[in-house]
Amino acid sequence: MDGDRHNYGRVIGGCGGSDQGPSGQGPRPPAPQQTAKYRPPHLRNKGGGSGGEPYLPPLQRQGVGRSYDTGPTRRPWDPHPAPPTHRTPQLPPNPCTFGVDLLKVSEEEPLSCHPKDANNRILPVRRPKGGTLVGRSVNLLVNHFLVEFNPRVTIFHYNLDIKQVICHGKRPVRKSKNKMNLRSIRDKLFSDDPARFPLNRTAYDGEKNLYSAILLPTGQFRVELSDNEDLSTRTYVVSIKLMNELKLSKLEDYLTGKLPYVPRDILQGMDLVMKENPSRYRISVDRSFYSSTFKVEDDLKHGIAAYRGFQSSLRPTSQGLALCLDCSVLAFRKPLAVIDFLKEHIAEFDGVYLDLNLRRRVTNALKGLTVRVTHRVTKQTFTITGLTAKITRDLWFDFVDPKGIDPTVKVSLVQYFREKYGKEIAYQGIPCLILGRNNRTNHVPMEFCVLAQGQRYRKELLDEVGQKTMEEKSLAWPPERRKIISEMMQAYDGPCGDDTQNFGLRIDKNMTSVEGRVIGPPDLKLGAPDGAVYVVRVENEKCQWNLAENSVVDGKQIERWALIEFSSSGCLKLRAKDFIQNLRNRARSIGICMEEPLVCHFTHMREFSSVSRLEELLRSVIQEASRKTWNRLQIIVCVMAEKHHGYKYLKWVSETRIGVVTQCCLSSQANRGDDQFLGNLCLKINAKLGGSNVELTQRLPHFDDEDHVMFIGADVNHPVSKKATTPSIAAVVSSVNWPAVNRYAARVSPQDHRTEKIVEFGPMCHDLIDTYFQLNKVKPKKIIVFRDGVSEGQFDMVLNEELSDLKSAVCSNTYQPKITLVVAQKRHQTRLFLENMADGGATGNVPPGTVVDTKIVHPFELDFYLCSHYGRIGTSKAVRYCVLWDENSFASSELQKLIYNLCFTFARSTRPVSLVPPVYYADLVAYRGRIFQEVAKEFKNRAVSSSTGTSNSSTFDQSFYSLHPDLQNIMFFV
């Protein structure tokens, strides 16, 4: 999910599973109807399931003497509850203090019976007890800071409703949405009566939530607020209502395993308490806090600077409650006087004269920015809406006597500022700023305006030097990042302010020390020049292998291919003859036999401007090739002069309409012809055509060769657009070969806007299992599902809804695969640092294969952190893997080793990747689906513009996302 990644637990009693709503609040409303439904390719024009056979729910698990309850609150695939004598997981003692006993790494099988809540909804599998350590140990520091709390403390949650009173003391009529304004009103109320409203014992989110360490008066309170002596006082009514009493004893019960669900409301309240101190002193952007000043070395010039900040969240861990804090960098406009900002930002600006071009650049640089004025005392801020048409010395306006005695007269702006404010305008030859506020406009000279603090500057607008500098600062090396995090924990404006102590919280400012383990790399199978199989032992620091002396395992014979050059004019023209020769030589050197192209077509980049032109071009190339061979083209290599938005047209046409894969590259890279670039190109081409680049020499842990295991990756890509007519894109991929597990098939389906649940998950998986059967003549006995992009608050949905859909779609009384469900989380702030730099490589990062499954993990659920890649740039980030369901009875080390080994099989890399490949591929497929959606959107816009209809069905039309039959089961997306 692209939204909140720091939810604190599962939604207990949420949608799915039962026909009852939360806490039994009557029947559940029907699920919203989807505009489009996914249908397997071979059933798009048919009814029913695969082969006309309807989906059957599982009746009884084969070989296991368990019965299944058919009552309304149980799913048919739920196992029967374990008897009371069943073992329970070993839980830590009270983790609310330092020095607690820690859970140990497990080599035992997870509990076969999944825990359930009061509503009979399945909870994630619990961490098994005991076990031994596997892999060499390494001492690490983690950016988790232990938080002590008093379980006897109660935090009071209040609702604040602030409304402004209209003139003459009438009733409140309007709510303010400005957080800064609302904070000012709250601060004024508390400063007027500090005895009853102690400011330092409360935390406020700037909207409606207020948390207090003591009971506060409730009711309605009037607040008088004025920006300066010249403006009339504004009156507000603040309504305070007690919403909840948050007893921290519940959090202690959860951490010790007495409470099955996370007390999310308590963690949210405590999290806000941690953010209260930085919110007073720092610039708040989304969930991050940035310093109000910048260092000299962080000046990016041109009126822009890099500001350092942090993002933090509270996490329940096996050592107790921990604050996870990580640093970040963001570009802001410096809070300079507007004149000074323009002199820095635009080199040609001198404050004397603006020609037409310079005026346009100044307008673009300033329009929409927020400023404060300096010619009078006020706290108000104003938005720049533009520049005056006339220069300052030529501006006159009608002056109306506020007392109504003198007649209206024409006054020059220069004269008015001299007489009213005693200010002499120096820059009279340039326009004034037009400032807007409350539907009123004012003309104010630029020299009396200062940019307000905390205005972001988009990274893509920076010049090349600025972008490179920002990248270097964002990707800090481990020692530097560790130092910055420690400094922010110690800072006066960090999370450890007086407010936290007033709520009975104490934070250890030292990073958590944890013992990690380094899993050894697997041996790999590559090809040799003589056609034999060669075993590579990856022992170097980077865990990297090269193809200088080796070949791919299975190189496809490329006999029918075409070259289209889209750079036939200009300085970026492709040297086609050299490129073809270099590409063929490189392919031959790694075991891929590549013939001369059947067709070489030379054209221009303007072909990318139209879908129809591209389709006509591709079809003509295919037709020309068909005259030279009886079989279809295997691949079309497209060399582009530059990156172009028409790339999406090319992919959509080739992959959904024509059915020939394409491989794109830039002419500038193609002309250089270095071995690494050409080698990567050949790896992609071989994978797209069904070849095998690398394989593991030994079978994956926990499985036998005859098991036939399918690995599934699933992800949802959400649109940037906030329009509800823009669909989210669900993507599901699955392996289709065993035991090599390096070939995948993919399915794509649109669904309702920002819907995280994969609506057609069951049918898509059913279709992929059918594909596996067609290719292998047997269905997989075991299925490992890796789900990407969900927060902890959505685990319940994945476990009780998506897994249910999968079971209902694929299981029957004759087919009962064993399923394991794992969530891969990338968007977290946890960072691993070497305690001893000698334990790592040249970059100072943790070595590939580093795993942590104690202290910083969940108090009792099964999860671990795995850093599977070599960190070349910046500080490596491990992926957190959370096991929600496990019928395959994995031991912890087996699953860790399995995932790490899979990371060596990614088709287009010669080193282990950072994310398990099924999820990596699902991300790529979801992005490809987003490209298809953009094409569908353009078709929709054309249809709407040519008719009076406003239908948005085309963006949900499955035909726009359905792959051509020739591409459905190959890796077109790598």
Side-chain angles (χ1 to χ4, degrees):
M1 167 184 165
D2 294 330
D4 184 9
R5 299 283 170 168
H6 304 97
N7 294 332
Y8 295 112
R10 302 164 304 288
V11 181
I12 303 301
C15 57
S18 167
D19 291 333
Q20 293 293 317
S23 304
Q25 299 172 0
R28 186 176 308 283
Q33 294 296 318
Q34 299 296 317
T35 311
K37 290 289 185 181
Y38 173 85
R39 288 180 63 77
H42 60 288
L43 296 179
R44 296 246 161 86
N45 298 316
K46 302 178 183 179
S50 175
E53 181 181 343
Y55 296 145
L56 297 175
L59 299 179
Q60 188 174 19
R61 190 170 304 283
Q62 292 179 327
V64 180
R66 293 194 189 130
S67 62
Y68 288 83
D69 192 339
T70 57
T73 60
R74 298 182 57 79
R75 300 185 186 277
W77 48 272
D78 287 346
H80 194 278
T85 57
H86 197 285
R87 62 175 180 172
T88 56
Q90 180 70 38
L91 296 172
N94 185 357
C96 305
T97 58
F98 298 109
V100 298
D101 292 336
L102 304 175
L103 295 174
K104 293 187 176 180
V105 182
S106 170
E107 287 302 313
E108 296 186 3
E109 297 178 355
L111 302 181
S112 59
C113 179
H114 285 64
K116 297 186 179 183
D117 70 349
N119 295 322
N120 212 31
R121 296 176 66 76
I122 294 188
L123 301 176
V125 65
R126 292 203 167 197
R127 184 183 303 278
K129 65 177 181 179
T132 57
L133 299 175
V134 175
R136 70 176 178 90
S137 63
V138 58
N139 294 325
L140 304 172
L141 293 175
V142 187
N143 59 336
H144 283 210
F145 302 88
L146 198 60
V147 178
E148 281 187 315
F149 64 90
N150 186 345
R152 294 186 295 274
V153 165
T154 297
I155 297 177
F156 302 95
H157 179 198
Y158 293 90
N159 176 271
L160 255 65
D161 184 60
I162 302 176
K163 295 179 180 178
Q164 185 177 354
V165 178
I166 61 172
C167 299
H168 312 301
K170 301 287 185 178
R171 60 183 177 83
V173 294
R174 187 179 60 183
K175 289 186 178 181
S176 174
K177 295 183 179 180
N178 186 294
K179 282 190 175 185
M180 187 176 297
N181 188 38
L182 293 175
R183 282 190 177 276
S184 299
I185 297 167
R186 188 281 305 253
D187 292 347
K188 184 66 165 60
L189 170 65
F190 280 51
S191 62
D192 287 346
D193 193 354
R196 293 196 302 165
F197 297 102
L199 185 64
N200 62 355
R201 304 201 70 179
T202 61
Y204 181 45
D205 69 351
E207 294 179 348
K208 62 179 182 180
N209 294 299
L210 178 75
Y211 294 88
S212 175
I214 62 170
L215 279 169
L216 299 177
T218 57
Q220 293 187 340
F221 305 89
R222 296 175 73 86
V223 176
E224 308 285 337
L225 198 65
S226 175
D227 286 310
N228 67 3
E229 64 276 8
D230 294 336
L231 296 178
S232 58
T233 300
R234 299 188 305 278
T235 302
Y236 297 89
V237 171
V238 181
S239 299
I240 303 179
K241 179 181 178 182
L242 179 63
M243 300 296 294
N244 197 6
E245 295 184 9
L246 308 176
K247 299 183 182 299
L248 301 193
S249 58
K250 283 189 176 181
L251 179 58
E252 181 185 37
D253 290 342
Y254 175 72
L255 292 170
T256 53
K258 298 176 184 177
L259 194 67
Y261 59 89
V262 62
R264 190 175 176 187
D265 52 351
I266 295 176
L267 281 174
Q268 286 176 335
M270 296 177 72
D271 191 61
L272 187 62
V273 171
M274 296 290 186
K275 291 178 169 59
E276 178 66 17
N277 190 65
S279 68
R280 293 179 183 174
Y281 299 102
R282 288 177 171 260
I283 302 167
S284 176
V285 179
D286 297 329
R287 296 177 180 84
S288 299
F289 297 94
Y290 293 88
S291 175
S292 57
T293 59
F294 63 92
K295 298 180 179 179
V296 176
E297 60 268 25
D298 293 336
D299 191 347
L300 303 177
K301 311 303 181 184
H302 311 297
I304 314 298
Y307 285 68
R308 299 183 181 274
F310 68 84
Q311 184 174 353
S312 64
S313 62
L314 281 176
R315 300 200 61 83
T317 68
S318 67
Q319 69 167 345
L321 188 65
L323 178 73
C324 179
L325 182 144
D326 193 21
C327 60
S328 60
V329 180
L330 206 59
F332 289 91
R333 294 171 176 85
K334 293 187 285 189
L336 301 171
V338 169
I339 292 289
D340 295 335
F341 172 78
L342 290 175
K343 287 181 177 179
E344 272 200 41
H345 194 69
I346 303 174
E348 295 80 5
F349 179 83
D350 58 6
V352 178
Y353 173 74
L354 299 184
D355 59 22
L356 189 60
N357 177 55
L358 193 54
R359 181 188 181 93
R360 182 168 57 250
R361 293 173 62 189
V362 169
T363 302
N364 292 337
L366 296 179
K367 192 172 183 179
L369 299 187
T370 304
V371 295
R372 295 181 293 103
V373 296
T374 60
H375 61 279
R376 60 187 178 91
V377 179
T378 179
K379 297 178 182 178
Q380 285 183 306
T381 57
F382 304 86
T383 301
I384 301 174
T385 59
L387 304 182
T388 57
K390 297 181 178 179
I391 61 176
T392 302
R393 69 167 63 95
D394 295 336
L395 287 174
W396 292 70
F397 66 96
D398 293 331
F399 178 76
V400 180
D401 183 9
K403 298 180 180 179
I405 299 175
D406 298 328
T408 301
V409 295
K410 285 279 187 182
V411 178
S412 75
L413 192 71
V414 175
Q415 177 186 355
Y416 177 77
F417 268 79
R418 182 186 302 121
E419 296 178 357
K420 174 70 174 177
Y421 302 110
K423 303 287 185 181
E424 200 66 46
I425 300 175
Y427 297 88
Q428 298 186 16
I430 57 176
C432 284
L433 298 179
I434 303 176
L435 305 183
R437 184 182 172 93
N438 299 331
N439 297 321
R440 296 167 55 190
T441 58
N442 297 292
H443 297 168
V444 180
M446 290 186 190
E447 61 201 88
F448 300 134
C449 296
V450 177
L451 293 182
Q453 195 176 57
Q455 300 187 71
R456 293 180 60 177
Y457 192 81
R458 287 162 51 195
K459 183 179 177 180
E460 55 268 26
L461 296 179
L462 292 169
D463 60 17
E464 186 176 349
V465 175
Q467 289 190 16
K468 184 177 180 181
T469 304
M470 278 295 295
E471 184 176 357
E472 291 174 353
K473 295 181 181 299
S474 300
L475 301 174
W477 295 108
E480 182 184 356
R481 194 178 202 96
R482 175 178 160 185
K483 178 183 177 183
I484 293 172
I485 291 173
S486 298
E487 288 175 349
M488 289 183 174
M489 282 298 299
Q490 301 286 344
Y492 77 95
D493 54 359
C496 304
D498 294 337
D499 310 88
T500 57
Q501 297 181 19
N502 292 334
F503 279 83
L505 307 178
R506 186 174 74 84
I507 307 173
D508 185 349
K509 297 182 182 180
N510 297 310
M511 287 190 180
T512 296
S513 175
V514 63
E515 183 178 2
R517 293 173 292 117
V518 181
I519 304 173
D523 291 340
L524 304 177
K525 185 191 301 181
L526 292 174
D530 57 0
V533 174
Y534 184 72
V535 176
V536 177
R537 198 173 295 277
V538 182
E539 296 177 344
N540 56 67
E541 171 192 334
K542 301 179 181 179
C543 286
Q544 183 176 4
W545 63 98
N546 63 67
L547 297 174
E549 300 177 355
N550 303 304
S551 311
V552 296
V553 176
D554 177 20
K556 298 299 288 187
Q557 196 88 359
I558 307 176
E559 301 171 334
R560 304 176 307 280
W561 67 287
L563 172 69
I564 302 180
E565 184 206 348
F566 292 93
S567 59
S568 60
S569 64
C571 60
L572 296 175
K573 178 178 174 62
L574 175 71
R575 297 191 296 273
K577 186 176 180 180
D578 292 341
F579 170 67
I580 293 171
Q581 187 63 37
N582 292 336
L583 182 62
R584 291 185 63 210
N585 289 341
R586 189 68 179 108
R588 187 182 304 110
S589 70
I590 62 173
I592 302 172
C593 183
M594 193 174 193
E595 303 293 342
E596 287 281 347
L598 293 176
V599 177
C600 290
H601 186 90
F602 304 96
T603 183
H604 306 276
M605 287 298 295
R606 58 174 173 266
E607 298 289 348
F608 279 93
S609 61
S610 167
V611 176
S612 58
R613 289 178 64 170
L614 265 178
E615 182 168 1
E616 182 180 354
L617 171 62
L618 293 181
R619 290 192 184 278
S620 67
V621 169
I622 293 173
Q623 187 176 8
E624 183 180 350
S626 66
R627 291 195 289 266
K628 301 179 181 180
T629 180
W630 61 273
N631 214 335
R632 285 176 62 87
L633 278 178
Q634 294 170 281
I635 191 169
I636 301 176
V637 177
C638 302
V639 183
M640 306 160 59
E642 60 186 356
K643 293 181 180 180
H644 195 280
H645 71 275
Y647 171 84
K648 60 178 177 281
Y649 301 150
L650 176 69
K651 291 299 180 181
W652 181 77
V653 168
S654 65
E655 293 167 1
T656 67
R657 292 298 181 263
I658 293 179
V660 177
V661 290
T662 55
Q663 178 59 57
C664 297
C665 64
L666 296 178
S667 58
S668 57
Q669 295 174 316
N671 284 333
R672 282 201 297 268
D674 64 273
D675 277 356
Q676 183 177 356
F677 166 74
L678 293 173
N680 290 338
L681 208 62
C682 291
L683 289 179
K684 288 186 176 184
I685 292 173
N686 193 48
K688 288 181 178 182
L689 297 182
S692 176
N693 294 336
V694 64
E695 296 179 9
L696 303 172
T697 58
Q698 297 179 340
R699 62 176 175 81
L700 290 167
H702 190 74
F703 299 124
D704 296 325
D705 290 343
E706 63 272 12
D707 276 346
H708 271 279
V709 184
M710 171 186 276
F711 292 87
I712 291 177
D715 188 28
V716 178
N717 180 288
H718 295 299
V720 177
S721 169
K722 296 182 179 180
K723 293 183 179 179
T725 56
T726 306
S728 292
I729 305 297
V732 179
V733 304
S734 75
S735 59
V736 293
N737 64 333
W738 175 259
V741 196
N742 60 357
R743 290 175 49 214
Y744 287 77
R747 301 293 182 262
V748 184
S749 180
Q751 58 189 40
D752 282 349
H753 179 75
R754 300 204 73 80
T755 300
E756 184 55 53
K757 176 188 174 183
I758 302 178
V759 179
E760 297 296 319
F761 188 55
M764 294 167 84
C765 291
H766 181 275
D767 184 24
L768 290 167
I769 290 175
D770 282 350
T771 298
Y772 191 100
F773 178 78
Q774 292 166 12
L775 297 175
N776 300 281
K777 308 307 177 187
V778 62
K779 289 187 176 181
K781 295 180 181 179
K782 299 176 181 180
I783 298 175
I784 315 299
V785 180
F786 291 99
R787 180 65 159 93
D788 185 30
V790 290
S791 65
E792 291 177 21
Q794 295 166 323
F795 284 3
D796 179 77
M797 176 271 294
V798 174
L799 186 55
N800 286 283
E801 296 181 45
E802 288 185 352
L803 182 60
S804 172
D805 293 344
L806 172 61
K807 291 267 189 176
S808 299
V810 307
C811 294
S812 67
N813 57 343
T814 59
Y815 180 55
Q816 295 270 343
K818 292 184 178 180
I819 298 175
T820 295
L821 174 60
V822 182
V823 170
Q825 290 186 323
K826 306 185 297 289
R827 299 196 176 189
H828 58 79
Q829 283 85 49
T830 300
R831 299 279 186 158
L832 309 179
F833 301 97
L834 292 169
E835 191 168 356
N836 182 2
M837 295 299 293
D839 291 334
T843 65
N845 274 303
V846 296
T850 300
V851 64
V852 177
D853 53 7
T854 60
K855 272 193 174 182
I856 63 172
V857 294
H858 194 278
F860 47 81
E861 293 174 7
L862 181 54
D863 66 330
F864 56 88
Y865 292 88
L866 173 62
C867 182
S868 54
H869 68 293
Y870 173 75
R872 294 180 300 151
I873 304 174
T875 305
S876 298
K877 177 185 278 191
V879 176
R880 183 186 180 214
Y881 294 95
C882 308
V883 184
L884 303 189
W885 178 266
D886 184 25
E887 294 174 343
N888 288 290
S889 300
F890 277 105
S892 296
S893 62
E894 286 180 327
L895 187 59
Q896 294 160 8
K897 180 69 173 174
L898 182 144
I899 293 174
Y900 183 48
N901 287 4
L902 282 174
C903 291
F904 283 79
T905 65
F906 189 69
R908 64 186 197 191
S909 177
T910 55
R911 57 169 60 124
V913 291
S914 61
L915 184 63
V916 66
V919 171
Y920 207 138
Y921 291 141
D923 286 346
L924 295 177
V925 174
Y927 175 72
R928 186 61 55 85
R930 178 61 57 202
I931 288 178
F932 295 168
Q933 179 269 324
E934 291 174 1
V935 178
K937 180 181 177 182
E938 293 188 19
F939 274 91
K940 182 201 78 169
N941 292 339
R942 293 173 191 170
V944 171
S945 63
S946 61
S947 66
T948 57
T950 58
S951 172
N952 65 336
S953 60
S954 65
T955 55
F956 283 87
D957 186 351
Q958 181 65 47
S959 65
F960 277 93
Y961 307 85
S962 298
L963 300 172
H964 190 279
D966 292 344
L967 272 62
Q968 285 171 359
N969 301 323
I970 64 173
M971 299 173 66
F972 66 93
F973 47 84
V974 296

